[in-house]
Amino acid sequence: TQLLEQSPQFLSIQEGENLTVYCNSSSVFSSLQWYRQEPGEGPVLLVTVVTGGEVKKLKRLTFQFGDARKDSSLHITAAQPGDTGLYLCAGATSGYSTLTFGKGTMLLVSP
Amino acid sequence: DTGVSQDPRHKITKRGQNVTFRCDPISEHNRLYWYRQTLGQGPEFLTYFQNEAQLEKSRLLSDRFSAERPKGSFSTLEIQRTEQGDSAMYLCASMPFGGVLIDEQFFGPGTRLTVL
């Protein structure tokens, strides 16, 4: 059973602060996705990382895939209230396989 | 194209009743997935279709659950004899198979089921 553990489970910060959330597993993934979910809505895809060591940037968000493709991190610079939401990582063990999700990190950014 | 849509958005039912949810995927996407998400958890895989064929079912999908995708377009998920433990958000996602966007699934807004 592939498990994805996300930490921290909950993070409450002030606007302008930086933060990093983590997604770890003992399994190797062929790709890893990060999603953001707002209350009462479905997850929205932010990024997919495929290559070990890969770094992708999406405005103030920086995503990194571990060299061994077992872990990933999401760093947010100068967080804004609009960044509030549940951040989920999801891994696939082979192309087009089903996704295994972590429990998510709930981020609250206060003005 | 307006993305994945799900209907209804909310459903309240009494224990023992049957419910059916509908998902309309993005039109060119031939893979369709159903997930269940409970409070404080990430989505858990239930089943998926490639075109009209149901290719995989999770152990979470008890015999009270059935899913169909009769024409390879929209899909339905039916829960018979609902139980309070079925209360959850039911999410549908779609993905093109054979394209370059490997493993990128696009989710609908979900159906929130409450069983009283």
Side-chain angles (χ1 to χ4, degrees):
Chain A
T1 302
Q2 302 97 25
L3 289 176
L4 278 168
E5 298 201 3
Q6 292 191 242
S7 61
Q9 290 186 346
F10 183 77
L11 191 55
S12 179
I13 61 172
Q14 295 294 119
E15 182 176 5
E17 292 183 29
N18 301 333
L19 66 117
T20 302
V21 298
Y22 300 93
C23 175
N24 295 296
S25 176
S26 58
S27 300
V28 176
F29 293 99
S30 63
S31 70
L32 195 139
Q33 288 76 40
W34 284 92
Y35 292 83
R36 183 172 71 207
Q37 185 177 26
E38 297 188 12
E41 299 294 330
V44 175
L45 180 66
L46 297 174
V47 78
T48 297
V49 286
V50 178
T51 305
E54 183 177 5
V55 177
K56 281 191 174 179
K57 291 190 175 183
L58 184 66
K59 298 183 180 178
R60 294 176 293 100
L61 279 59
T62 302
F63 304 85
Q64 186 164 8
F65 202 13
D67 291 341
R69 291 185 288 130
K70 293 182 178 181
D71 54 84
S72 182
S73 63
L74 159 59
H75 182 78
I76 301 179
T77 303
Q80 299 176 359
D83 296 326
T84 293
L86 179 68
Y87 288 82
L88 293 159
C89 65
T93 53
S94 62
Y96 305 111
S97 67
T98 58
L99 293 179
T100 298
F101 280 85
K103 292 185 178 182
T105 292
M106 184 64 216
L107 173 65
L108 175 62
V109 183
S110 302
Chain B
D1 180 53
T2 56
V4 179
S5 62
Q6 292 187 244
D7 182 71
R9 294 291 309 275
H10 304 275
K11 179 70 177 179
I12 299 174
T13 191
K14 293 182 179 179
R15 188 178 54 185
Q17 298 293 305
N18 299 342
V19 294
T20 300
F21 310 140
R22 176 179 170 127
C23 171
D24 286 89
I26 295 172
S27 59
E28 64 269 23
H29 288 186
N30 45 18
R31 280 215 172 175
L32 186 150
Y33 298 79
W34 285 100
Y35 292 84
R36 182 174 70 187
Q37 186 178 24
T38 54
L39 201 61
Q41 302 292 323
E44 296 175 292
F45 167 74
L46 292 178
T47 187
Y48 86 88
F49 294 83
Q50 182 163 311
N51 300 313
E52 66 275 9
Q54 189 173 17
L55 296 187
E56 187 174 341
K57 292 192 287 187
S58 161
R59 286 176 293 177
L60 292 175
L61 210 67
S62 76
D63 56 7
R64 296 185 297 105
F65 288 69
S66 62
E68 294 183 342
R69 195 183 183 196
K71 298 182 180 178
S73 56
F74 73 92
S75 176
T76 58
L77 177 68
E78 181 184 15
I79 310 174
Q80 296 182 325
R81 304 181 304 280
T82 53
E83 302 173 355
Q84 287 183 326
D86 297 331
S87 295
M89 173 79 91
Y90 290 84
L91 293 163
C92 175
S94 71
M95 184 175 80
F97 181 74
V100 296
L101 299 176
I102 294 177
D103 303 318
E104 293 187 340
Q105 297 182 17
F106 297 87
F107 282 81
T111 295
R112 168 72 67 187
L113 172 66
T114 301
V115 182
L116 302 176

